[in-house]
Amino acid sequence: MRDNCCRILIADDEPIERMVVSKIIQSHFGGEIELSQAVNGREAIEITRKENCQVVLLDISMPGIDGLEAAETIRRENPDCSIIFLTAYDEFDFAKRAIKVHALDYLVKPWSKEELIAVIDEAVH
């Protein structure tokens, strides 16, 4: 891995969602970033540890360890990591837990490409 680029992790149990988010990020940021993917919260934690990801995009509803639980562990182990939730849940309790882990943002599906780019741009730069 190159030292001068930002490492971004996309964690979602839906392969199509991961693919769409990856393509949007890659097309906008190109060589500025390195992307990794996880299919659940446990894998997100492991990859974040191993690759020292600076930005983690998490779905909330994933099998095993969900996105909120993963975010709590990631935040505890890596306080400087930017955590962004991409989720279909617009429930207050979920948003409140996202605030507790100091998430950079909480985008509710269907989010726009422009919203996604803007929040990742803020995290990367």
Side-chain angles (χ1 to χ4, degrees), residues 1 8 10 14-16 19 25 34 43 48 54-58 61 64 72 87 89 91 101 105-106 111 124-125:
M1 286 185 208
I8 298 176
I10 302 163
E14 296 292 329
I16 292 173
M19 182 187 71
I25 294 170
E34 287 185 2
E43 198 173 282
T48 301
Q54 289 91 5
V55 180
V56 177
L57 299 140
L58 293 165
S61 179
E72 290 168 355
T87 183
Y89 294 99
E91 297 173 26
V101 296
D105 215 324
Y106 187 97
W111 40 263
V124 171
H125 297 108

Side-chain angles (χ1 to χ4, degrees), residues 19-33:
M19 182 187 71
V20 168
V21 173
S22 293
K23 285 188 179 208
I24 291 170
I25 294 170
Q26 198 69 51
S27 69
H28 184 78
F29 294 98
E32 288 183 61
I33 54 100

